[in-house]
Amino acid sequence: MTPAEINIKFKELQQRIAKDFDNEEPDLKVLLFLIGVQELGQGPRKFSKRQKEELMHIANCRLFGEMGFYELEGLDQDGWPHWKLIKPIPAYTMLEQEMVMKSLMVTYFESL
């Protein structure tokens, strides 16, 4: 996808999530959190600040796993997934990083 196509699809994703949750359009961090909750698979509940950060990390690993950077190692005793870095992630510019994340998020939500 071109950057313009990514931005259009990402905006559509934001609008869909906002409508589904009857809330404002989510930014990248909110979408990472939602993906983390989905990947944890334990349903919505209250999370501590640290757990929220871990959920966003899980989402990053899951998304970049699609590009071959991470591999799921398994679940810990509490059912939280753990990922292993397989190869270093390139040093993307901020714009490149944003485009990659948007593209991966669009693909992730389309696959649900």
Side-chain angles (χ1 to χ4, degrees), residues 3-86:
E5 292 169 328
I6 291 169
N7 282 327
I8 289 168
K9 286 185 175 271
F10 186 75
K11 186 68 170 173
E12 290 169 353
L13 171 63
Q14 287 177 301
Q15 291 169 346
R16 189 179 90 210
I17 299 292
K19 183 180 175 192
D20 289 349
F21 286 90
D22 194 26
N23 210 330
E24 61 191 48
E25 290 183 7
D27 61 13
L28 288 170
K29 289 181 180 179
V30 170
L31 289 171
L32 279 174
F33 173 75
L34 290 175
I35 292 169
V37 170
Q38 177 70 26
E39 290 301 308
L40 180 60
Q42 297 178 1
R45 65 171 202 241
K46 288 270 189 193
F47 294 101
S48 69
K49 182 178 179 180
R50 177 158 169 72
Q51 287 173 322
K52 289 176 184 176
E53 291 169 352
E54 290 173 2
L55 287 167
M56 292 171 70
H57 176 71
I58 289 168
N60 269 310
C61 293
R62 169 62 174 80
L63 294 174
F64 279 101
E66 290 298 314
M67 297 176 69
F69 293 109
Y70 285 93
E71 177 179 86
L72 181 62
E73 285 188 304
L75 304 177
D76 66 15
Q77 67 275 8
D78 297 321
W80 286 67
H82 289 270
W83 296 79
K84 179 171 84 173
L85 183 64
I86 300 299

Side-chain angles (χ1 to χ4, degrees), residues 60 63-70 85-101 104:
N60 269 310
L63 294 174
F64 279 101
E66 290 298 314
M67 297 176 69
F69 293 109
Y70 285 93
L85 183 64
I86 300 299
K87 60 183 179 180
I89 298 173
Y92 294 118
T93 65
M94 289 300 283
L95 183 58
E96 290 170 332
Q97 186 177 21
E98 183 178 324
M99 282 295 122
V100 169
M101 290 300 293
L104 291 169

